[in-house]
Each structure stands twice: as structure tokens, then as C-alpha cells.
Amino acid sequence: MKSPRGKLPLPIIITTICVLLFISVLYAERLSFLNSSSIFKLKTCPRKHTKSKSNDRKAEEVFANASWLDDRFDFDPEECNVANGKWVFNSSLKPLYSDTSCPYIDRQFSCVKNGRNDSDYLHWEWQPEDCTLPPFNPELTLKKLQGKRLLFVGDSLQRNQWESFVCLVQGIIPEKKKSMKRGRVYSVFKAKEYNATIEFYWAPFLVESNTDIRIIGDPKKRIIKVDQIMDRAKNWTGVDILVFNTYVWWMSGLRIKALWGSFSNGEEGYEELDTPVAYKLGLRTWANWVDSTIDPNKTRVFFTTMSPAHTKSADWGQKDGMKCFNETKPIKKKNHWGSGSNKGMMSVVAKVVKRMKVPVNVINITQISEYRVDAHSSVYTETGGKILTEEERMNPLNADCIHWCLPGLPDTWNQIFLAML
């Protein structure tokens, strides 16, 4: 019997209905599975204006203390702009170390040992506006570094950060399971139980110069080899995590004597360049080395932005003051930017990094450090290998407003670095 014109046979209709029902069931199961998997998307760095549902809160409570939780999934630098925030005083905040409990701090940064009596600078906590910055966790840090080499490369401010990082983790390592070998150029801290090293290599310009190893005090006699890096960089290979910086040594004047390979007359063949131009040439040489040498599948690369100097008290409204001398509180003015941070130089870094093939993670510490006029070594430091006397500490001209006390601000730099790591 033939079916009427325009109507489908009954068996075809029944088959079609069954197929649709089957697809619906599969789709419902898929949705259920996705919902049950959403727990792995929880973050400890949420938008502050986002309200969690009760189920989410319960899930967070269940997993909050799980020892296997890896917080690298919790912090998203693209969602959390750590540079946008404020310093909040927290009297209960305690450093993970002191300059007496950590034996690896240069006397230059050991402010308490050198006579600093005020302690408020140790209790300021950085709070980004749109998220929560995870605290520094020494145990988690060492687990992430297990079997790896971490190398900081740069100037004395990079050494400031390196010593902070070492001090933050070394306290939980038994004495016989850690070691430190210090050198003029290259230093290595070993966490033996974790088969990990935290290293520092002295290269204030990254590229070569006549003043990085054998330091020349007179800036007019300094010559930067803007296209030469291999004598230094050959020591940076085979590393799992590289952290670079370079800035303050370039800021010795408006112009820099630059030398590159096309000159054959040695140090007589230099040319004076505007500082940003020489800086760009030096950074391009570094970037070319990274792009041609580093395998991003094996090595992660970071770059710490410039650390500000606070040498002009008028920058923050202290017209009668002198440098950072006697400062005990952060600057409160939002987005304060002083003369010790050159935005033109910072833009050079941004442009060079943007053009690189190898991904570079930028640790932006400049804005948060701009506020911390209180955290410098100031007069609680040494000069010429000798601690300042009590009389010398009364002279504001002796204040070091470039380097930072340890413990102190560089610990927050490393808190940001660990969150990115």
C-alpha cells in the first residue's frame, strides 16, 4: 500500500523520533559532565566584584587545604593587573625571614643589622584592585623548582631580588641540605633535597662593556659594546628559568659611549648615542640571543622592569626633604610616577619584547615600587665595604635610594614572580 502524497512512511517517522531522543540524551549527559568538571576552574584570584555561589564556596572549602593543589592555575596575569592597586598596612603581616635568620643577605641590604629601628616598612601588603595576589609559599616554590635551575641575570637590583628569593625559601630547608657558593660574577644556592639551584649572574648591561667586571667609577670613561653578549651569555644556557633585568647602569647620563663590531680601533672607535638609543641597541642584542638560543619548550624567560630610584624628594611633595632620607611611609598618591623611572626606557623594553619570537613574561614591579619611598636601604647600608657610622647616618646625602632593605619590597616582587611562575 502506498503512502499518501506529501506524507512520510510511518517507519521513517518512528526512526527519526528515536534518533532525536538519543541525541537529546547524549547532549544532557554532556552538559552534566561539563558541570561536574567545573570545579577545576576555581580560582583563588577572582574578580573582587564577582559573587560566588554557595556550591562554589563549598567546593573551595573542600580543596583549599589540598596539598596537591598547584596555584599556577589559580593566578592569571592577563586577568589580574598587579600594577593597579594600593599598599595596605597589615600589622599581622610577618616576613618569612629576617636579616639575622637568613645568612645570605649582603650587608648593603641588611637594614636592621645596620641600625634601622623602625619596622613599619615590613608590614605593608600590596593589594591589586581586581584580584587577590597569592602569598609566597616556600614549599610550593621548591616543588616547582624541583630538578630545575633558576638563574637571575642583571645588576645589583637583580641581586637584591635574587637574595630575597633565596631567603624566602631557604628557611624550610635543613642546614645540611642547602649550600651557597658566592662569586664576584656568578653565585649559586643549592637546595640539595630538591636537586634545584637558584643562581645569580652579574651582568649590569646584559651586553658587554669595559666596566661590568672591572668597574670604572667615572661614567665618562664607560663604553658599552652594544652588539656583544656572547662572553656573558654563554653562561646562561641549559637553564630552566631565566630572569633578566637591566636599567639603572644605563642611567649615568643623557648620552652613552657605544661600541660595536664594525669598529676596528678598539675603545677608540666608540660613538656617543642618546641613552634610549643605546639601550634599544643593547636590548635588541639580548633579544636576538634569546630568540636564536633559547628553546621555549625547555626554558621560560622573564624580564623584571625597572626599579625606581627616589633621589628627588620634591617628586612626592617633600620640598624640604632630601632624597629618601627618614621616609617611613609609602606615597599615597595613586599612580605616582617620579623622575627615577624613565617611561621612555620602559617603552623600549615593551617594544623589543613584543617583537621577540620567544615568549618573555614581564614582571612589572615599577609602579608598585614607585610608592615605596620608605623601603630603601637609605642610610642603613655600607659604603666602600664599611657600615655607615652613626654620624654618617645623620647625613641625608649618604642615603642609598636605589637599593632596598631585605626583608622588604623585593619579597613582593618575588610574590608576583611566583604567581606568574
Side-chain angles (χ1 to χ4, degrees):
M1 180 179 178
K2 295 183 180 180
S3 61
R5 184 175 295 178
K7 292 185 179 180
L8 292 172
L10 184 59
I12 294 178
I13 295 174
I14 293 173
T15 302
T16 303
I17 292 172
C18 290
V19 169
L20 290 173
L21 284 172
F22 181 70
I23 291 173
S24 299
V25 170
L26 280 180
Y27 184 70
E29 288 293 326
R30 177 62 177 166
L31 285 177
S32 174
F33 173 76
L34 288 174
N35 286 335
S36 67
S37 302
S38 64
I39 193 169
F40 299 107
K41 298 180 182 179
L42 293 174
K43 295 185 177 182
T44 59
C45 185
R47 293 285 178 180
K48 287 187 176 179
H49 302 296
T50 302
K51 294 184 179 179
S52 299
K53 295 180 180 179
S54 58
N55 289 340
D56 289 338
R57 284 198 296 270
K58 289 179 181 178
E60 286 178 354
E61 290 171 4
V62 170
F63 285 88
N65 297 316
S67 61
W68 50 264
L69 185 64
D70 187 339
D71 71 351
R72 66 183 163 184
F73 295 108
D74 301 332
F75 182 86
D76 188 346
E78 293 183 3
E79 285 192 12
C80 178
N81 178 12
V82 293
N84 184 26
K86 61 183 178 181
W87 288 99
V88 177
F89 189 78
N90 181 356
S91 59
S92 64
L93 182 68
K94 293 183 179 180
L96 293 175
Y97 65 95
S98 69
D99 59 357
T100 54
S101 69
C102 182
Y104 309 121
I105 304 175
D106 283 348
R107 202 63 191 263
Q108 184 181 18
F109 314 138
S110 300
C111 297
V112 174
K113 275 186 180 180
N114 298 338
R116 183 164 186 170
N117 294 319
D118 65 299
S119 60
D120 281 0
Y121 72 98
L122 296 171
H123 300 285
W124 290 95
E125 186 175 27
W126 180 249
Q127 291 186 359
E129 284 191 1
D130 58 357
C131 63
T132 302
L133 187 62
F136 191 97
N137 184 324
E139 185 178 7
L140 178 63
T141 304
L142 288 169
K143 286 180 179 178
K144 287 187 176 184
L145 294 181
Q146 190 151 14
K148 292 183 172 64
R149 291 177 62 194
L150 164 61
L151 175 61
F152 291 85
V153 181
D155 55 27
S156 55
L157 288 158
Q158 194 75 332
R159 185 168 65 238
N160 221 175
Q161 184 178 1
W162 167 69
E163 289 182 11
S164 160
F165 197 98
V166 170
C167 288
L168 285 167
V169 301
Q170 67 87 32
I172 67 169
I173 306 173
E175 197 64 36
K176 293 182 179 180
K177 296 185 178 181
K178 59 188 175 185
S179 66
M180 172 69 85
K181 185 177 181 181
R182 300 293 290 258
R184 185 180 175 187
V185 175
Y186 178 52
S187 300
V188 180
F189 172 81
K190 287 185 179 180
K192 299 176 184 178
E193 187 176 1
Y194 294 88
N195 188 30
T197 58
I198 304 167
E199 310 168 21
F200 172 73
Y201 191 94
W202 168 257
F205 296 103
L206 297 184
V207 292
E208 297 165 28
S209 74
N210 67 344
T211 182
D212 48 2
I213 307 300
R214 182 179 62 87
I215 297 174
I216 297 174
D218 185 357
K220 294 181 180 179
K221 295 181 179 180
R222 295 177 176 179
I223 300 173
I224 317 301
K225 299 180 180 179
V226 291
D227 72 336
Q228 300 295 316
I229 198 171
M230 284 309 300
D231 273 358
R232 309 288 179 265
K234 66 186 179 184
N235 300 288
W236 310 339
T237 57
V239 177
D240 300 281
I241 305 163
L242 281 164
V243 187
F244 295 96
N245 94 315
T246 185
Y247 169 67
V248 71
W249 275 58
W250 295 87
M251 304 307 292
S252 57
L254 297 175
R255 293 176 70 79
I256 282 181
K257 292 177 179 177
L259 176 75
W260 52 86
S262 60
F263 289 101
S264 58
N265 297 324
E267 293 189 354
E268 298 300 318
Y270 65 79
E271 181 177 352
E272 287 199 7
L273 301 173
D274 291 341
T275 296
V277 174
Y279 188 58
K280 182 188 292 185
L281 291 171
L283 273 187
R284 281 181 177 174
T285 298
W286 163 79
N288 289 337
W289 175 82
V290 170
D291 280 343
S292 63
T293 309
I294 298 301
D295 180 354
N297 296 315
K298 296 180 179 179
T299 302
R300 294 188 68 188
V301 181
F302 293 81
F303 192 99
T304 305
T305 60
M306 59 192 178
S307 172
H310 291 103
T311 56
K312 294 182 180 178
S313 56
D315 284 350
W316 57 92
Q318 294 279 42
K319 294 182 180 179
D320 297 327
M322 179 69 74
K323 301 170 71 174
C324 64
F325 179 72
N326 270 354
E327 294 288 352
T328 58
K329 293 181 180 179
I331 297 166
K332 289 293 187 179
K333 182 182 177 183
K334 186 169 177 61
N335 297 325
H336 166 78
W337 196 277
S339 56
S341 298
N342 189 307
K343 288 188 176 181
M345 299 285 274
M346 199 163 181
S347 69
V348 168
V349 175
K351 290 175 182 176
V352 170
V353 166
K354 187 177 180 180
R355 296 179 62 182
M356 293 174 67
K357 292 184 296 183
V358 173
V360 176
N361 304 276
V362 176
I363 309 170
N364 189 351
I365 57 99
T366 307
Q367 181 65 80
I368 76 166
S369 305
E370 272 287 2
Y371 301 117
R372 295 306 307 275
V373 67
D374 61 313
H376 287 288
S377 300
S378 188
V379 292
Y380 307 103
T381 186
E382 66 174 10
T383 179
K386 295 181 179 180
I387 304 301
L388 297 184
T389 65
E390 189 172 344
E391 183 179 354
E392 288 172 328
R393 290 204 300 265
M394 298 296 290
N395 185 353
L397 293 176
N398 291 326
D400 177 356
C401 301
I402 295 176
H403 301 97
W404 309 91
C405 294
L406 290 181
L409 175 64
D411 301 334
T412 302
W413 299 353
N414 283 319
Q415 186 182 0
I416 295 170
F417 170 43
L418 177 62
M420 297 174 68
L421 188 61

